[in-house]
Amino acid sequence: MLKRSLFIALACVLLAVTAQAQSNMIRGKVRAPNGAPVNNAIVELRIAGGGMIGQTVTRNDGDFAFSNLRSGEYEIAVTMAGYEPAVQMARFNQPASMNFSEVVNVEVIIRPRAEPTLAPPGTSFAQDVPRPARAAYEKAMARLREGKSDEAIALLREAIAQFEGYFDASFALGKELFRAGKNDEAIEWLERARKINDRESAVYHVFGLVMLRQQKFGVADYAFSEAIRLNENNLASHFYRGQALIELALRDKDGNERSSHLKEAEKELSRAWELSEKRLSAVYLQRARIHEQRGEREAAARELENYLKAEPEAKNADLIRQAIANLRGNKK
């Protein structure tokens, strides 16, 4: 009973984690169709459907970066003399309310004006969207920024009605339905988005969040694994895959399976910790669960103490102190 009550307590702790400050980054590379990097190209960062908020020039090897970005959707516009202009979408797939810092990697292919060439598969995804559909989508994004979810959902449905295979609108609709708690509808639209573009890690990530909410942890593990395969630097996918694996371990009856899941969860949490530059304090809470499952009660208590050091004003501090006391066998 003590073990069960402790996990219930830790689960409550996880639901009350204090949000972390966002510091999202877009890192990218501009290439020609033959793979050669393009230096001195002008790169503009725009809010999707809005104005320019940043500009830079590609360095050696065609690299560029934009940092300190809020969660959301952005356009990256690249111009270079002798090449066709290129515009590519970039999105941070973690909902803003979760406040995870993310790094999104983007590769933009620009084509010479004289000899247009198709980009290599999987490096970019663009659609020729009819103007009415694009207008409805941009209005929907504006409504989301204003917090008008119902109006945004209606406009996204209108955009899709205008252009049935509209990936951005289908994904945005699935994500917003998930945020609104409409899981079944969210799954439907996320699956439609995946069928249109199965190379977008964000689709798998949000699908994994839906599966976590529904406690389908095996499917969540698969979804986050796919998101990581497509975007290895997705901090949130590593973190949530670790959480899904811990939940699977809690339900494993086979000791070898439990040990394997805990070991893999530990690796994912370590990767999330590295990507967050050792600032994602929620990792301490998940590590505490791993140590407790292994019977390492003192190690679990130390992880919880580390969390309190990182989050001294945490609203769940009293609950965590009680969990520490239980782990050390203290009675109050």
Side-chain angles (χ1 to χ4, degrees):
M1 287 298 292
L2 176 59
K3 188 173 185 179
R4 180 176 178 82
S5 63
L6 175 59
F7 272 104
I8 292 173
L10 287 176
C12 293
V13 166
L14 289 168
L15 292 175
V17 173
T18 301
Q20 307 295 306
Q22 283 186 294
S23 182
N24 298 319
M25 173 183 286
I26 294 173
R27 289 194 304 217
K29 186 180 288 289
V30 178
R31 295 185 186 275
N34 64 2
V38 178
N39 300 327
N40 300 315
I42 298 173
V43 185
E44 292 184 356
L45 181 68
R46 306 168 182 166
I47 296 176
M52 184 182 74
I53 59 173
Q55 186 182 74
T56 188
V57 176
T58 54
R59 306 186 302 272
N60 292 336
D61 297 326
D63 293 332
F64 66 89
F66 296 99
S67 58
N68 298 320
L69 303 175
R70 293 179 177 273
S71 181
E73 189 173 74
Y74 296 86
E75 289 181 352
I76 297 169
V78 179
T79 55
M80 178 70 178
Y83 289 83
E84 296 287 348
V87 177
Q88 186 164 319
M89 302 301 296
R91 58 176 61 82
F92 296 104
N93 52 31
Q94 186 61 37
S97 59
M98 306 300 288
N99 289 309
F100 278 101
S101 298
E102 296 184 45
V103 177
V104 173
N105 290 320
V106 177
E107 187 168 290
V108 183
I109 306 299
I110 58 174
R111 304 171 178 84
R113 291 184 186 277
E115 298 180 10
T117 306
L118 291 175
T123 59
S124 62
F125 184 81
Q127 291 183 296
D128 186 11
V129 180
R131 185 174 296 177
R134 180 67 184 178
Y137 173 78
E138 291 176 354
K139 288 180 182 177
M141 294 299 100
R143 296 297 181 274
L144 286 177
R145 289 192 290 271
E146 295 167 1
K148 299 177 180 178
S149 177
D150 290 342
E151 292 182 29
I153 288 173
L155 285 164
L156 289 170
R157 294 186 190 279
E158 179 183 334
I160 295 166
Q162 294 282 347
F163 179 40
E164 187 175 355
Y166 199 165
F167 171 77
D168 288 339
S170 298
F171 174 63
L173 180 56
K175 186 166 60 173
E176 186 59 20
L177 288 167
F178 162 70
R179 196 195 67 78
K182 300 177 180 179
N183 295 330
D184 291 340
E185 281 189 274
I187 291 171
E188 176 187 347
W189 286 104
L190 290 170
E191 176 59 14
R192 290 197 190 189
R194 187 196 65 79
K195 287 180 177 179
I196 299 167
N197 175 19
D198 64 358
R199 303 295 300 170
E200 175 54 73
S201 67
V203 176
Y204 293 96
H205 178 83
V206 178
F207 183 78
L209 293 177
V210 179
M211 293 299 101
L212 272 185
R213 180 184 283 175
Q214 295 186 335
Q215 298 189 357
K216 297 176 181 178
F217 301 114
V219 184
D221 172 30
Y222 166 78
F224 291 126
S225 295
E226 286 296 290
I228 292 166
R229 180 178 65 83
L230 294 167
N231 179 10
E232 206 285 328
N233 290 320
N234 188 336
L235 182 160
S237 289
H238 285 288
F239 177 83
Y240 282 120
R241 183 175 183 238
Q243 182 176 336
L245 287 163
I246 293 171
E247 296 295 344
L248 286 173
L250 289 174
R251 292 157 177 78
D252 284 331
K253 295 181 180 180
D254 182 87
N256 290 332
E257 285 291 324
R258 183 183 306 112
S259 177
S260 176
H261 281 140
L262 291 175
K263 184 177 180 180
E264 189 68 18
E266 197 167 36
K267 286 172 56 178
E268 293 292 2
L269 292 172
S270 294
R271 183 60 179 145
W273 182 246
E274 292 170 3
L275 288 170
S276 73
E277 298 181 349
K278 300 183 180 182
R279 292 184 297 174
L280 182 59
S281 55
V283 168
Y284 291 125
L285 300 178
Q286 296 289 358
R287 284 175 175 166
R289 301 177 76 202
I290 291 174
H291 286 305
E292 205 283 337
Q293 264 287 286
R294 290 172 173 166
E296 301 163 351
R297 298 172 69 83
E298 177 57 30
R302 287 198 298 270
E303 293 287 1
L304 295 180
E305 287 176 333
N306 287 335
Y307 175 77
L308 289 178
K309 289 178 183 177
E311 300 289 344
E313 303 300 323
K315 295 180 180 179
N316 51 348
D318 289 341
L319 183 60
I320 294 174
R321 292 189 187 97
Q322 183 59 55
I324 292 170
N326 291 341
L327 283 165
R328 289 176 169 156
N330 299 333
K331 294 182 180 180
K332 292 189 176 181

